[in-house]
């Protein structure tokens, strides 16, 4: 996903994608981030224990923790609620 | 997944896609109208200088027609950017609809996230094209006026203005009346397109505000301070 997004939207994207263990390159490609900002976002999520790092062979993988579920659910409900309230756009 | 949320989002995307397609069509029409009048004027200029015929041409008309052509071209380029994004979201939404029909109830979470992802993409597309969409409101209005002015100019055979008033004669072509009706219809439709862009931006600006307000809650949930 590319384009102008808020930090919260990027956190959500990373956490949902990391439901299955993912590599750093996979995450930055999927979320359209550069390495520097990718490191910052992953660093923050790991510090808050929403993401954990595992070693598979000689590769590092990142996966969401159980704590991420609450944030993902809240985010989904807030964004979908945008369409429950008026006004809506129609022809 | 709440069916109503999905349906509402789907309807909005479809309607905005239709407005975007209509917008590109009018931009192309404006450019074509401009080109038509430019060609007519250039032929008149050529005949004036190469023959002894008393052919009239107006530099004002030529300037209006060239401006209309340039506005039309710029309009197509900017509309294409908005169209491209909405088309891609509409296609992905179509795939999600197919998936919804074929999959079983237990995949609700996954579908819920797919819908949220598309909503985030739409918000992101709107943020990226916020300025363009706002400009479209005025460009469509300007386009509508240009189509009307060019259509009127093309149908005039003679026009004169003085301090006492003005007089004009329209061409004898029997197809003039139907073409005038079509031209007025295009001008009105372009004006309607401008109104739709206004409505769309009003709704999505409201949503961006709502998202900004709910960021506090997301921040608390993440136990963070971005301050």
């Amino acid at each position: 996903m590319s384009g102008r997004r808020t930090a919260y939207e990027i956190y959500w994207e990373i956490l949902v994608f990391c439901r299955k263990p993912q590599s750093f390159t996979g995450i930055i490609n999927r979320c359209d981030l550069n390495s520097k900002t990718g490191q910052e976002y992953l660093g923050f999520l790991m510090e808050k224990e929403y993401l954990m790092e595992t070693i598979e062979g000689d590769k590092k993988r990142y996966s969401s923790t159980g704590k991420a579920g609450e944030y993902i659910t809240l985010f989904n409900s807030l964004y979908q609620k945008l369409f429950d309230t008026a006004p809506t756009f129609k022809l | 997944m709440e069916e109503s949320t999905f349906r509402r989002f789907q309807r909005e995307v479809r309607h905005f896609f239709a407005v975007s397609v209509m917008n590109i069509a009018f931009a192309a029409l404006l450019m074509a109208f401009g080109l038509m009048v430019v060609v007519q004027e250039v032929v008149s200029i050529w005949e004036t200088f190469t023959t002894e015929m008393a052919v009239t041409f107006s530099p004002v008309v030529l300037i209006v027609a060239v401006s209309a052509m340039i506005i039309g071209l710029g309009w197509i380029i900017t509309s294409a950017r908005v169209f491209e994004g909405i088309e891609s979201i509409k296609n992905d939404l179509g795939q999600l609809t197919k998936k919804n029909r074929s999959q079983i109830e237990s995949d609700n979470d996954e579908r819920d996230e797919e819908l949220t992802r598309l909503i985030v993409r739409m918000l992101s597309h709107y943020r990226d094209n916020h300025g363009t969409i706002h400009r479209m409101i005025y460009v469509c209005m300007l386009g509508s006026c240009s189509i009307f002015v060019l259509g009127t100019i093309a149908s005039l055979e003679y026009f004169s203005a003085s301090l006492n008033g003005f007089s004009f004669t329209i061409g004898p072509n029997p197809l003039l009346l139907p073409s005038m009706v079509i031209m007025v219809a295009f001008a009105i439709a372009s004006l309607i397109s401008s109104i739709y862009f206004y409505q769309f931006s009003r709704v999505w600006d409201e949503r961006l505000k709502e998202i900004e307000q709910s960021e506090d809650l997301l921040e608390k949930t993440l136990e963070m301070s971005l301050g």
Side-chain angles (χ1 to χ4, degrees):
Chain A
M1 196 189 304
S2 60
R4 221 178 291 173
R5 291 159 297 165
T6 65
Y8 305 100
E9 287 165 359
I10 295 170
Y11 289 137
W12 174 82
E13 178 80 13
I14 295 172
L15 292 175
V16 169
F17 185 53
C18 291
R19 281 225 166 104
K20 287 176 190 160
Q22 305 290 344
S23 67
F24 179 73
T25 317
I27 295 169
I28 61 169
N29 284 343
R30 166 81 179 211
C31 303
D32 197 40
L33 302 168
N34 62 41
S35 310
K36 190 174 168 273
T37 49
Q39 283 288 3
E40 284 169 13
Y41 282 113
L42 292 190
F44 172 79
L45 289 172
M46 282 197 294
E47 187 193 310
K48 297 289 177 187
E49 294 171 357
Y50 283 101
L51 209 61
M52 63 180 184
E53 195 181 270
T54 47
I55 309 284
E56 279 179 20
D58 57 345
K59 287 174 186 166
K60 270 187 197 172
R61 301 275 177 204
Y62 297 89
S63 49
S64 313
T65 63
K67 210 177 156 186
E70 192 191 342
Y71 178 76
I72 293 171
T73 309
L74 176 71
F75 187 94
N76 285 344
S77 74
L78 285 174
Y79 275 66
Q80 292 192 16
K81 218 175 81 181
L82 292 175
F83 290 87
D84 292 342
T85 51
T88 56
F89 171 72
K90 54 184 173 184
L91 296 183
Chain B
M1 186 198 304
E2 268 193 47
E3 197 59 25
S4 61
T5 307
F6 181 80
R7 288 247 168 106
R8 277 184 201 145
F9 180 63
Q10 193 178 37
R11 192 188 57 212
E12 283 205 23
V13 169
R14 276 183 186 161
H15 288 186
F16 189 62
F17 178 77
V19 173
S20 304
V21 171
M22 204 163 76
N23 199 41
I24 289 184
F26 293 131
L29 271 172
L30 179 63
M31 207 173 77
F33 263 124
L35 187 66
M36 185 186 79
V37 177
V38 166
V39 170
Q40 276 176 0
E41 287 302 302
V42 168
V43 170
S44 298
I45 293 169
W46 178 255
E47 284 178 350
T48 305
F49 291 108
T50 56
T51 66
E52 287 177 4
M53 284 166 64
V55 183
T56 53
F57 73 89
S58 164
V60 178
V61 173
L62 189 64
I63 291 167
V64 171
V66 170
S67 309
M69 249 179 71
I70 294 167
I71 292 170
L73 186 66
W75 192 1
I76 289 178
I77 294 167
T78 36
S79 300
R81 251 179 263 147
V82 176
F83 173 79
E84 229 173 28
I86 194 77
E87 191 198 22
S88 148
I89 294 170
K90 186 181 158 282
N91 290 343
D92 289 352
L93 197 56
Q95 279 173 3
L96 184 61
T97 312
K98 274 184 203 161
K99 221 172 166 184
N100 281 355
R101 283 195 200 120
S102 60
Q103 282 182 345
I104 47 166
E105 279 299 306
S106 59
D107 294 322
N108 261 353
D109 277 355
E110 199 188 315
R111 278 179 273 166
D112 220 25
E113 278 164 15
E114 284 295 325
L115 176 63
T116 309
R117 180 168 291 115
L118 288 173
I119 293 172
V120 172
R121 264 180 68 188
M122 189 67 190
L123 279 165
S124 167
H125 181 57
Y126 181 67
R127 283 188 200 110
D128 281 346
N129 293 287
H130 183 263
T132 309
I133 289 169
H134 273 249
R135 253 195 322 275
M136 277 304 167
I137 298 168
Y138 302 104
V139 171
C140 288
M141 243 186 259
L142 196 67
S144 164
C145 296
S146 305
I147 289 175
F148 187 78
V149 170
L150 284 173
T152 309
I153 288 170
S155 60
L156 284 180
E157 195 179 56
Y158 166 79
F159 179 83
S160 114
S162 67
L163 286 173
N164 298 326
F166 64 90
S167 62
F168 65 89
T169 317
I170 59 167
N173 192 335
L175 290 175
L176 199 62
L177 191 66
S179 66
M180 281 288 277
V181 171
I182 292 170
M183 182 265 302
V184 170
F186 282 146
I188 291 171
S190 178
L191 203 62
I192 291 170
S193 184
S194 162
I195 294 166
Y196 283 139
F197 271 118
Y198 169 74
Q199 282 180 351
F200 180 80
S201 69
R202 194 171 52 92
V203 167
W204 282 84
D205 280 342
E206 190 63 37
R207 288 190 178 134
L208 284 183
K209 257 187 225 162
E210 267 186 57
I211 287 296
E212 269 174 37
Q213 283 162 2
S214 51
E215 278 182 357
D216 285 345
L217 191 58
L218 290 170
E219 190 178 326
K220 272 182 200 156
T221 310
L222 278 175
E223 297 168 339
M224 63 181 277
S225 170
L226 288 176

